[in-house]
């Protein structure tokens, strides 16, 4: 469901993640980036450095604007905003980390809200509140 939503993006994808190890979601973000979608990711600083299978460095290596948020005890947001500012904007949120374990082992929830421009603007504004204190991943 998340990969499909990413594939339908028309303009921009803003991601906030705690742990990010899911290869399929990472590859979908890179594919979107390669087709001209503005993809930006903010991840938790500690998780990105501690989890051996983290895809954060790889996303940065692929040219995606990737940032690490170490300002909080945990940058625990798990959100994706697709095409904020458009009528068909999508918000994805819930307990679901972008991990293999979230998909196959954990009890998780994920909520995908389509055609929610006002809600997408609120989630995009939250992403933009965290960006100034997150440091870029340089690859």
């Amino acid at each position: 469901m998340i990969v499909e939503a990413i594939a339908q993006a028309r303009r921009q994808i803003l991601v906030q993640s705690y742990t990010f190890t899911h290869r399929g979601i990472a590859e979908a973000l890179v594919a979107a980036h390669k087709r001209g979608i503005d993809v930006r990711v903010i991840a938790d600083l500690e998780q990105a450095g501690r989890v051996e299978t983290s895809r954060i460095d790889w996303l940065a290596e692929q040219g995606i604007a990737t940032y690490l948020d170490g300002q909080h005890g945990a940058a625990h947001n798990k959100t994706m905003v697709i095409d904020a500012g458009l009528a068909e904007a999508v918000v994805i949120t819930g307990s679901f980390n972008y991990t293999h374990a979230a998909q196959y082992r954990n009890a998780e929830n994920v909520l995908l809200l389509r055609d929610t421009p006002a809600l997408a603007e609120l989630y995009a504004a939250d992403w933009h509140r965290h960006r100034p204190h997150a440091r870029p991943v340089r690859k």
Side-chain angles (χ1 to χ4, degrees):
M1 173 176 67
I2 295 171
V3 169
E4 181 182 316
I6 292 168
Q8 295 172 2
R10 294 177 39 206
R11 189 169 70 194
Q12 184 180 64
I13 303 170
L14 300 175
V15 180
Q16 287 182 299
S17 72
Y18 179 61
T19 305
F20 197 129
T21 65
H22 197 290
R23 185 178 302 268
I25 295 172
E27 289 173 352
L29 290 171
V30 170
H33 171 71
K34 287 181 177 177
R35 68 176 207 279
I37 305 300
D38 175 22
V39 179
R40 302 179 198 184
V41 176
I42 298 174
D44 181 80
L45 173 66
E46 188 174 315
Q47 288 295 307
R50 179 172 46 169
V51 177
E52 185 177 312
T53 56
S54 174
R55 304 305 295 163
I56 296 302
D57 285 345
W58 183 78
L59 289 171
E61 289 167 1
Q62 304 310 305
I64 290 177
T66 308
Y67 307 92
L68 298 174
D69 186 348
Q71 179 98 8
H72 315 281
H76 208 243
N77 291 309
K78 300 147 189 134
T79 64
M80 196 173 295
V81 183
I82 300 173
D83 294 333
L86 299 180
E88 39 300 311
V90 173
V91 173
I92 302 171
T93 190
S95 69
F96 190 92
N97 283 303
Y98 303 121
T99 65
H100 183 270
Q103 184 169 357
Y104 296 105
R105 292 196 316 249
N106 299 349
E108 301 278 359
N109 67 77
V110 64
L111 183 61
L112 188 145
L113 301 157
R114 294 186 185 278
D115 306 322
T116 57
L119 185 62
E121 287 298 324
L122 293 170
Y123 274 87
D126 183 66
W127 190 96
H128 288 289
R129 272 192 295 278
H130 289 277
R131 171 52 197 97
H133 60 255
R135 66 177 173 94
V137 174
R138 306 258 188 235
K139 291 295 165 186

